[in-house]
Amino acid sequence: MIRRPGSQVRTTVHAVRGGTVERRTDALATEEPLEVRLAAGGQQRTVAVTMRTPGNDFELAAGFLFGEGVVASREEIRRIAYCLDLPAEQLYNVVTVELRAGRLPDLAPLERYGYTTSACGVCGKGSIEALTRRGCRPPAGGLRLTHETLVQLPERLRAGQRLFAPTGGLHASALFDARGTLLAVREDVGRHNAMDKLVGWALLEGRLPLDDHIVMVSGRASFELVQKAVAAGVPVFCAVSAPSSLAVETARAFGVTLIGFLRGDRFNVYSGFERLVPRAPLSGASPAPGISAPPGRSASR
């Protein structure tokens, strides 16, 4: 019987606490390669290899292809399956996405993804112009957010992280509705993989574009994550940590509300402040109550 890799494994560690040493077992997040193959019209090609945490592999493959503009809808996908003609130890590490088209699409934009890692996710900086050429537009809908809704998101994200508690080594991306209700959460050793899994879930469930929804990630807001949100039509993107400069630029270019340092009762709004319903008017350079910066940082619109 072929054992499918799990999302966590056990290992033995020597835990040092002060002057004592204890030998015990600990949980680790599993990290294994996933090869994504694309097939159409009798042709097949490997388009990416990424280090990931096993689980939701089909969503990861679909989300990656959607985020890079290879597929535009779930109707373009005939089926997704593990490759069965491989050595037993690799059986669940190769996924083939079969398209309904008569031939493979132009894969030149993906050539730089011959190998990706959990550290950098989808390698290579894209551009705002490239997103525009793909047809990405500012999100539709009239989503408005209250301070009370936003400050509840981190705890709800953490509560949905099934694997983080035992391993402490996974990133997470979560989807919320306009009321802050948690709809889905995906975890992975790679923050970009977690986002791809979440978008892939929405794609395969027929939920795209994600108008009137909120995405929150457990780490920082990088350009790659924000561009995936833009492609999925997400109007509000929140992060526990800081955004990068290109993430802010991209969010502003596409009308996305970008919130960073969302912790406890505080957060920074870097773009799209107009979607928030502050508890008091913004006065001069002072942040509105509840829209404040972490110690040592200033709030930014």
Side-chain angles (χ1 to χ4, degrees):
M1 178 179 293
I2 300 171
R3 189 174 66 86
R4 187 167 177 172
S7 56
Q8 58 180 298
V9 297
R10 306 295 299 184
T11 190
T12 301
V13 301
H14 290 88
V16 180
R17 301 291 183 270
T20 65
V21 179
E22 178 188 3
R23 182 181 171 89
R24 61 178 176 83
T25 60
D26 197 10
L28 300 176
T30 306
E31 184 175 26
E32 291 199 357
L34 179 70
E35 178 182 341
V36 179
R37 297 178 180 177
L38 198 62
Q43 299 175 299
Q44 182 172 281
R45 181 174 169 184
T46 295
V47 295
V49 179
T50 184
M51 301 303 294
R52 99 301 189 191
T53 298
N56 309 110
D57 292 332
F58 293 176
E59 295 173 356
L60 172 56
F64 169 77
L65 293 173
F66 176 82
E68 297 307 316
V70 177
V71 298
S73 69
R74 62 173 178 170
E75 286 74 25
E76 296 181 16
I77 299 174
R78 184 186 302 277
R79 72 182 187 115
I80 306 177
Y82 290 107
C83 295
L84 302 178
D85 57 345
L86 297 167
E89 65 272 14
Q90 295 299 321
L91 181 61
Y92 292 105
N93 285 345
V94 181
V95 165
T96 297
V97 179
E98 182 181 350
L99 303 181
R100 298 184 185 277
R103 65 183 208 173
L104 289 174
D106 178 18
L107 299 177
L110 293 179
E111 288 181 354
R112 67 186 186 277
Y113 304 131
Y115 185 78
T116 62
T117 71
S118 62
C120 68
V122 179
C123 298
K125 293 288 186 180
S127 66
I128 294 174
E129 290 76 16
L131 288 171
T132 301
R133 288 195 299 270
R134 281 176 48 191
C136 294
R137 297 291 183 268
L143 178 63
R144 299 277 286 175
L145 294 171
T146 65
H147 172 273
E148 289 73 22
T149 296
L150 283 169
V151 298
Q152 294 179 57
L153 300 185
E155 184 58 36
R156 292 177 180 177
L157 167 63
R158 177 61 64 88
Q161 288 185 255
R162 181 177 59 86
L163 296 174
F164 182 81
T167 66
L170 289 167
H171 296 279
S173 294
L175 181 69
F176 299 88
D177 66 16
R179 297 183 299 274
T181 301
L182 180 64
L183 303 178
V185 60
R186 293 293 182 267
E187 297 176 276
D188 201 277
V189 289
R191 60 182 181 271
H192 305 84
N193 292 341
M195 186 68 179
D196 279 336
K197 287 179 178 180
L198 187 69
V199 173
W201 169 80
L203 172 69
L204 297 176
E205 290 290 317
R207 290 174 174 259
L208 295 181
L210 292 172
D211 303 331
D212 297 323
H213 286 77
I214 307 163
V215 165
M216 181 166 185
V217 298
S218 59
R220 65 185 181 87
S222 66
F223 161 70
E224 290 89 345
L225 295 184
V226 172
Q227 75 163 352
K228 292 175 189 295
V230 167
V234 176
V236 179
F237 188 92
C238 304
V240 171
S241 191
S244 68
S245 62
L246 189 54
V248 173
E249 184 180 351
T250 303
R252 290 176 177 173
F254 288 93
V256 173
T257 297
L258 177 59
I259 294 173
F261 294 108
L262 179 51
R263 307 170 185 174
D265 194 45
R266 313 180 75 180
F267 52 89
N268 277 0
V269 184
Y270 294 87
S271 173
F273 180 80
E274 63 276 3
R275 283 197 179 90
L276 272 71
V277 183
R279 293 183 295 184
L282 196 64
S283 176
S286 300
I291 304 176
S292 55
R297 290 182 178 269
S298 60
S300 173
R301 287 188 63 170

